[in-house]
Amino acid sequence: MTRQLTIVLPSYNEEVALSRLFPQFDSIRKEIKESLSILVVDDGSSDRTSRVAAEWDGSTPVRAIVFPENRGYGMALEEGVIAAARNSSESDLIATMDADDTHDPRYLISMVDHLDQAELDVVIASRYAPGGKEEGVSWDRKLLSHGASWFYKRVFDLPNVSDYSCGYRLFRASLIQKSLETRKDLGLDSGFQASGELLLRLREQTVAIGEAPFELHYERKPTASKMQKMKTVFGTLAFLNEVRKTVRRLS
Ligand SMILES: Nc1nc2c(ncn2[C@@H]2O[C@H](COP(=O)(O)OP(=O)(O)OP(=O)(O)O)[C@@H](O)[C@H]2O)c(=O)[nH]1
Ligand SMILES: [Mg+2]
């Protein structure tokens, strides 16, 4: 039976990017064995994000969850991933991607292949794996993401993981479903540190993670960055400090 691949897109004021992104899913449909569908989580946008989702009439089906108010990337990620897991069967797949057109959907093809061939539970689209790179990223943004991955590696050191903060990932639905058997939600923070936190939550089960090389094309982003850099830095440090304290208490 054909597997379902649900792509979760946390979206905050992404009307321009989404209308560029949706057609790209249509163009990979013939090259991917899975049946694709998109789940937009409109995080209280003030632009036409949910209208663009509702009016899309291409061949890849699009559904939307709409938050009446902005709740932050982590909440949009959490709601989307949980909704996708509840709508999936055990053998299905779930991907998360940024909606700002910097993540090319074409990488899903190599990510699915890697997941199956290496029998993994999670594949990260990695800027830091051999063959990966970042184009058009300013030095301070590079410092922020390299710094975050360096800190995460020191605290978690997950085998085979070099990119902890990229939001482009592929998961087996069964992995998320299993997490939700023992807890009512994924317990993610509302900020951008949620992407690293999600890996930690899943690590509570036995999980095989791998990476596939990915080129981030930041120059394709149609609008200015909305990310609050200092809030993300402090949020990540506070989260890692909590983890460190928990690890100490348990050991
Ligand atoms: N900035 C921001 N993005 C959100 C929020 N909620 C959901 N998102 C979405 O989360 C994804 C990642 O956000 P981005 O702003 O692209 O974060 P980033 O890639 O780390 O940083 P920039 O590309 O520089 O803005 C995008 O698809 C956003 O639309 C939110 O409250 N703020
Ligand atoms: Mg982005």
Side-chain angles (χ1 to χ4, degrees), residues 4 6 37 39 63 65 80-90 92-94 173 177 180:
Q4 177 79 29
T6 308
S37 71
L39 176 59
R63 285 187 305 130
I65 296 175
V81 167
I82 291 178
R86 297 225 162 101
N87 248 305
S88 299
S89 70
E90 236 184 300
D92 288 341
L93 306 174
I94 298 171
Q177 290 163 344
L180 295 171

Side-chain angles (χ1 to χ4, degrees), residues 9-248:
L9 297 175
S11 308
Y12 182 50
N13 292 340
E14 300 288 10
E15 59 175 11
V16 182
L18 284 182
S19 51
R20 295 183 188 176
L21 192 58
F22 291 159
Q24 298 174 45
F25 287 99
D26 281 2
S27 58
I28 63 160
R29 278 171 75 85
K30 287 203 182 74
E31 293 162 68
I32 196 155
K33 303 180 291 296
E34 283 61 38
S35 149
L36 300 182
S37 71
I38 297 169
L39 176 59
V40 169
V41 187
D42 177 358
D43 188 13
S45 301
S46 52
D47 71 355
R48 297 176 69 260
T49 290
S50 30
R51 289 282 291 280
V52 170
E55 286 167 7
W56 167 248
D57 64 352
S59 49
T60 311
V62 173
R63 285 187 305 130
I65 296 175
V66 183
F67 292 172
E69 273 163 24
N70 178 251
R71 294 172 58 194
Y73 170 75
M75 294 297 101
L77 179 72
E78 161 126 20
E79 286 272 334
V81 167
I82 291 178
R86 297 225 162 101
N87 248 305
S88 299
S89 70
E90 236 184 300
S91 57
D92 288 341
L93 306 174
I94 298 171
T96 61
M97 286 174 63
D98 283 3
D100 60 354
D101 196 26
T102 56
H103 294 177
D104 187 335
R106 193 159 286 282
Y107 287 100
L108 287 171
I109 302 167
S110 52
M111 290 164 79
V112 171
D113 277 351
H114 189 42
L115 186 93
D116 286 338
Q117 275 164 23
E119 297 185 6
L120 299 168
D121 302 304
V122 181
V123 172
I124 298 170
S126 170
R127 297 161 288 182
Y128 313 139
K133 66 174 177 184
E134 343 177 62
E135 285 288 326
V137 183
S138 63
W139 68 268
D140 53 335
R141 285 308 310 271
K142 271 193 190 158
L143 190 68
L144 187 61
S145 16
H146 281 264
S149 284
W150 185 82
F151 273 113
Y152 274 108
K153 188 124 201 95
R154 289 206 59 175
V155 179
F156 303 155
D157 196 17
L158 298 177
N160 309 319
V161 178
S162 61
D163 195 336
Y164 287 77
S165 63
C166 182
Y168 196 174
R169 296 171 180 155
L170 177 71
F171 303 91
R172 288 194 192 276
S174 56
L175 183 69
I176 314 281
Q177 290 163 344
K178 248 183 262 149
S179 293
L180 295 171
E181 278 170 12
T182 51
R183 46 190 308 150
K184 66 175 193 335
D185 54 32
L186 299 168
L188 300 184
D189 191 273
S190 61
F192 281 96
Q193 65 269 31
S195 54
E197 222 179 345
L198 178 57
L199 292 181
L200 180 74
R201 295 282 173 266
L202 298 175
R203 200 185 55 154
E204 288 162 7
Q205 313 159 47
T206 316
V207 54
I209 309 181
E211 292 192 329
F214 159 62
E215 289 186 18
L216 171 75
H217 281 278
Y218 199 75
E219 77 285 0
R220 291 200 337 207
K221 194 177 171 75
T223 46
S225 175
K226 291 163 256 142
M227 193 225 229
Q228 293 163 282
K229 291 180 198 130
M230 287 327 278
K231 202 172 153 198
T232 304
V233 170
F234 288 117
T236 303
L237 290 176
F239 164 66
L240 290 173
N241 195 35
E242 275 312 305
V243 175
R244 200 178 46 86
K245 279 197 268 180
T246 313
V247 171
R248 246 197 223 153

